[in-house]
Amino acid sequence: MAQEYDLIVIGTGPGGYVCAIRAAQLGLKVAVIERRATYGGTCLNIGCIPSKALLYASEAFEQAGHGLAAMGIEVAPKLDLGKMLAFKDRGVKGNVDGVAYLLRKNKIATHHGTARILGAGKVDVTPSIGEAQRLQAKHIVIATGSDVAKLPGVDIDEVAIVSSTGALTLEKPPRRLLVIGAGVIGLELGSVWRRLGSEVLVVDILDRILPGVDGETARMMQRILMKQGMNFKLSSKVTGIAKNAAGRKVAIAPVAGGAEASIDADVVLVAIGRVPYTQGLGLEAAGIAIDNGKRVLVDERYQTSVSGIYAIGDVIAGPMLAHKAEEEGVAIAEILAGQAGHVNYEVIPNVVYTSPELASVGKSEEELKAAGVAYRVGKFPFTANPRAKVNNTTEGYVKILANGATDRILGVHIIAAQASEMIAEAAVIMEFGGSAEDLGRTCHPHPTLTEAVKEAALAVDQRAINI
Ligand SMILES: Cc1cc2nc3c(=O)[nH]c(=O)nc-3n(C[C@H](O)[C@H](O)[C@H](O)COP(=O)(O)OP(=O)(O)OC[C@H]3O[C@@H](n4cnc5c(N)ncnc54)[C@H](O)[C@@H]3O)c2cc1C
């Protein structure tokens, strides 16, 4: 007899496990299916969490070597990479165990194995050892996430040519690390290994870093990273990677044409993006439509082309971010429970966890110009912020874009030591449709970096105080 549920969620990443918990809170009988040994998906196992652990630890190493002496703390740091990786692994374990606990607490049935959808309401789960089991449910949510995008002709062996997954477990800092892709993952993991001693070159086909991020803000970030010693080769295309005695020889051609360069690297990190993961799910046989980017097609209520089957997270369109997947998980659970689940895609923050961090929410100047929206800009640099001055973290700024007619905040872009923590206030005010004046008239604690947000809001009306 097949087991029957109200809802089966396939995948326990931030989309899937959050969806399962919210549905259970709302009284649904829920099961999750996960093919990995641990819960939490890409984010907790091989993505957000381990990368942030290494960013945190490598930042501490760099601070100990270069930042502390100015405060009168003399240390000579010595890298024990094995221990640093173990620190990362403990952080991952704490998080994935936390999800296992939450699934138990919410009485969610758990099945380990690869799910294959047979049609509306029917899923087979094949464990790594043993027989497939048939499950049935009124609703199925696909939350199978994404996988590393491959570069044609380049074999990722996770030793000399690595994806983000291999870059989280290198046995020693490579002498020369060549990163293909100047997006978030390339810059974050490039920063980790640069801080630990690697010479890092980032190659990108575009003429800029961080596509999609406000142009002025991305250019500022590139200057900061270059000052730290990260090298860039933009408007350049990797055309091949060959083995040589020293490691790998990477052929790079200028996009505009001209002579190819050949660059030696000990390790090459391929960080050109991610693609939806639907392998083995049986989408075609079940009649579930995908687009030409292999994303599962859904309507505004996350329903696929098959009634009763839904999809959320990295496997559908939109920014591939954990918190976007989580919001969609909550929304679909509420929709299935008869409530009005909804995600505001205008207010999805985006963070690059370099040092300083870059965080943004809403529109960039380029997007506003393209849409023909009149806007005013307010900027405030951290060189004029008392807390940043005293902490010697004066790189970066806050930039606020407000509607030229209504003053409503349309976009906020921050480069700061703790931009990831600061962006949430911008998201809240945007969610409530607030104006630059609202933000500028809100009392902020002194001395904090957040005062720069208030000052940038005042600067929209040319009335910042401390500059
Ligand atoms: C190095 C790196 C760093 C990142 N850093 C950040 C960050 O700082 N902030 C951020 O917001 N995002 C970050 N991301 C992106 C983030 O990890 C993803 O956006 C997020 O994990 C997507 O969640 P999801 O639930 O859609 O899918 P996933 O987290 O990918 O989870 C999908 C799950 O489904 C399971 N699965 C797949 N197919 C099947 C099947 N047939 N049967 C059973 N189970 C299946 C998989 O095993 C997986 O556990 C990072 C990604 C990487 C790679």
Side-chain angles (χ1 to χ4, degrees), residues 10-16 33-36 38 40-43 45-48 51-52 113-116 143-146 164 168 185 188-189 274 277 279-281 312-315 320-323 325 351 353:
I10 306 174
T12 61
I33 306 173
E34 175 55 60
R35 74 186 162 92
R36 269 201 181 87
T38 51
T42 303
C43 177
N45 290 280
I46 51 164
C48 326
S51 61
K52 264 79 261 177
T114 301
R116 182 175 180 82
T144 50
S146 60
S164 56
L168 293 167
I185 292 176
E188 289 186 358
L189 294 175
R274 297 185 61 80
Y277 184 83
Q279 219 172 298
L281 254 187
I312 57 166
D314 277 11
V315 81
M320 288 180 156
L321 293 168
H323 40 285
V351 179
Y353 292 82

Side-chain angles (χ1 to χ4, degrees), residues 22 26 299-302 327-345:
R22 185 70 189 121
L26 292 168
D299 65 14
E300 67 288 351
R301 289 164 67 83
Y302 305 103
E327 294 302 318
E328 290 175 344
V330 169
I332 184 59
E334 292 182 348
I335 289 169
L336 296 179
Q339 299 187 353
H342 167 76
V343 178
N344 179 3
Y345 289 98

Side-chain angles (χ1 to χ4, degrees), residues 241-260:
I241 305 178
K243 256 190 190 169
N244 68 3
R248 292 293 183 275
K249 204 171 242 329
V250 184
I252 300 172
V255 172
E260 267 196 7

